[in-house]
């Protein structure tokens, strides 16, 4: 059922699920996801929270980007996350995320804002953007407070 929904969503968005991901639910870093395109042909990769955690634990550099509101961030977040609300990406990303080739792991609450932010980052020229959906699906530790 999940594969059907992913494929149907891809078709609704005008993205061919079969061409980009084969609808095989492969979330490895070597294959692009079916979740978004920029004008340059770059595609952000939709990955699972488990894959995001593997990247975070790998020792390789990454930026963890929370695109929720200040209030949501203070209530609960993944430790080490940088906050740039989705509605401020276009204004703040260039100064706060100057390396457009950096690996950026994006999350929000449920997945919609992270997908939009990932697409916007690609359109701004960022090349390694990974969306792992929402903190609601994050099975690992979180922190709270300002």
């Amino acid at each position: 059922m999940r594969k059907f929904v992913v494929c149907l969503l891809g078709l609704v968005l005008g993205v061919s699920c079969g061409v980009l991901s084969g609808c095989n639910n492969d979330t490895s870093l070597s294959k692009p996801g079916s979740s978004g395109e920029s004008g340059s042909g770059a595609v952000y990769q939709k990955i699972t929270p488990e894959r995001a955690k593997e990247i975070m634990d790998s020792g390789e550099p990454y930026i963890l980007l929370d695109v929720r509101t200040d209030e949501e961030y203070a209530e609960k977040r993944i430790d080490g996350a940088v906050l740039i609300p989705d509605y401020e990406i276009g204004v703040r990303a260039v100064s706060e995320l100057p390396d457009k080739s950096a690996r950026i792991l994006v999350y929000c609450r449920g997945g919609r804002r992270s997908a939009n932010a990932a697409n916007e980052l690609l359109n701004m020229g960022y090349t390694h953007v990974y969306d792992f959906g929402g903190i609601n699906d994050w099975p690992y530790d979180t922190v709270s407070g300002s």
Side-chain angles (χ1 to χ4, degrees):
M1 179 68 172
R2 180 177 171 184
K3 290 179 184 179
F4 174 77
V5 172
V6 169
C7 287
L8 184 58
L9 179 60
L11 291 173
V12 169
L13 294 173
V15 177
S16 173
C17 184
V19 170
L20 294 176
S21 71
C23 294
N24 63 4
N25 230 8
D26 183 355
T27 56
S28 69
L29 289 179
S30 62
K31 294 185 180 180
S34 62
S35 301
E37 285 189 65
S38 74
S40 68
V43 178
Y44 79 82
Q45 295 184 30
K46 177 69 177 159
I47 61 173
T48 65
E50 293 77 18
R51 182 66 184 125
K53 180 75 164 119
E54 287 174 13
I55 294 168
M56 294 165 66
D57 291 343
S58 73
E60 296 292 321
Y62 67 90
I63 297 168
L64 181 59
L65 180 61
D66 186 326
V67 296
R68 300 173 303 147
T69 65
D70 292 323
E71 294 79 18
E72 290 171 306
Y73 181 84
E75 182 181 312
K76 178 172 89 170
R77 68 184 172 280
I78 301 169
D79 196 26
V82 173
L83 175 66
I84 303 178
D86 64 317
Y87 53 86
E88 295 180 358
I89 290 285
V91 176
R92 293 176 50 188
V94 173
S95 63
E96 295 182 42
L97 306 170
D99 181 0
K100 290 191 175 186
S101 65
R103 182 183 298 177
I104 303 173
L105 306 175
V106 185
Y107 75 94
C108 63
R109 185 185 70 215
R112 182 184 52 81
R113 289 177 285 178
S114 62
N116 291 340
N119 273 319
E120 188 164 358
L121 289 168
L122 283 176
N123 288 330
M124 295 173 69
Y126 292 86
T127 57
H128 296 93
V129 182
Y130 304 90
D131 169 20
F132 65 95
I135 197 167
N136 289 346
D137 296 324
W138 183 253
Y140 308 104
D141 290 339
T142 59
V143 296
S144 60
S146 300

